Amino acid sequence: KKALVPATSFAGGDGRSADTAYQIATAEQLMYMRDFVNSGNGQNDDRKYFVLTDDIDLGGQEWTPIGWAIGKDKDGNKNNNYEFSGTFDGAGYVIKNFKITEVPTISSDVATMIRDGETKYMANVGLFGAVQGGTIKNLGVEDVSITVDNKTKESAINRVGALVGRLTGTVTNCYAKNITCRKLDNCAGTNMSGFIGVLRGKSTITDCYVNGF
């Protein structure tokens, strides 16, 4: 099957309000949105609005999550964060048929966080990797397969969910269906769920469910 290639723009909208949200109608535009967020150091999606206008089938291909959080890079620089902090409205549509079997990378520093001089490796995995102050609503995710294999510290994944790996925000009226999450023996410390891996802060989840995990 031919690999999907990110689009070069959204289907419409300017992202400034719910009424003028960036419109996403295809898998390629969803990939464009992901790259838009993941390249912005937490700025491009801050207070921006996104909306689906159709169901999206990712064709069983490998998925790199939307939003990262790495705390500090290997040189100790702060604010190297790629979290999703906007509003994503699924509008009742579904994103389906993707897998995560590899630790995705955005740059050589992505999986590295330094605290008190000690280097730790982390990754947040799901359709959304890390959400910070953001909102996801009215969305279904279906037919998702995630396999965690922490072969080395450099490839560690420790927060896994089909919808969100690490949530500090709000999820409303969402569901996950037909989810397979598997971790190998070297992943004893991995937090894994068919829906959201880890909740932090004053996160809220309302009117959501998981079926077939």
Side-chain angles (χ1 to χ4, degrees), residues 140-158:
V141 289
E142 298 182 5
D143 304 323
V144 178
S145 177
I146 301 176
T147 300
V148 178
D149 182 6
N150 291 342
K151 297 177 181 179
T152 66
K153 288 184 178 180
E154 288 78 5
S155 66
I157 296 176
N158 63 13

Side-chain angles (χ1 to χ4, degrees), residues 52 88-94 136-140 171-175:
L52 287 189
F88 188 94
D89 186 355
Y93 292 108
V94 176
I136 302 169
K137 62 183 181 179
N138 308 322
L139 177 65
V171 173
T172 303
N173 194 32
C174 294
Y175 74 88

Side-chain angles (χ1 to χ4, degrees), residues 45-192:
D45 64 307
D46 187 28
R47 295 181 294 277
K48 297 294 193 301
Y49 294 80
F50 305 83
V51 63
L52 287 189
T53 61
D54 204 348
D55 293 328
I56 291 180
D57 187 339
L58 290 167
Q61 297 197 36
E62 192 79 22
W63 177 250
T64 297
I66 301 166
W68 283 83
I70 59 174
K72 300 178 183 180
D73 65 17
K74 64 182 180 181
D75 297 316
N77 298 314
K78 296 181 179 181
N79 300 322
N80 288 274
N81 295 318
Y82 301 81
E83 297 124 316
F84 178 76
S85 55
T87 296
F88 188 94
D89 186 355
Y93 292 108
V94 176
I95 297 173
K96 66 179 181 179
N97 199 13
F98 65 89
K99 65 180 180 180
I100 300 174
T101 61
E102 302 172 359
V103 177
T105 60
I106 300 169
S107 73
S108 60
D109 297 327
V110 153
T112 306
M113 180 174 68
I114 297 179
R115 293 283 175 84
D116 301 323
E118 179 184 358
T119 300
K120 298 181 180 180
Y121 301 93
M122 62 176 290
N124 306 291
V125 169
L127 176 66
F128 290 82
V131 174
Q132 180 67 38
T135 297
I136 302 169
K137 62 183 181 179
N138 308 322
L139 177 65
V141 289
E142 298 182 5
D143 304 323
V144 178
S145 177
I146 301 176
T147 300
V148 178
D149 182 6
N150 291 342
K151 297 177 181 179
T152 66
K153 288 184 178 180
E154 288 78 5
S155 66
I157 296 176
N158 63 13
R159 300 179 183 110
V160 178
L163 181 64
V164 183
R166 194 212 72 192
L167 175 67
T168 309
T170 302
V171 173
T172 303
N173 194 32
C174 294
Y175 74 88
K177 181 179 179 181
N178 297 334
I179 308 302
T180 301
C181 293
R182 185 170 69 101
K183 60 182 180 180
L184 304 185
D185 291 342
N186 54 5
C187 305
T190 300
N191 298 295
M192 179 173 285

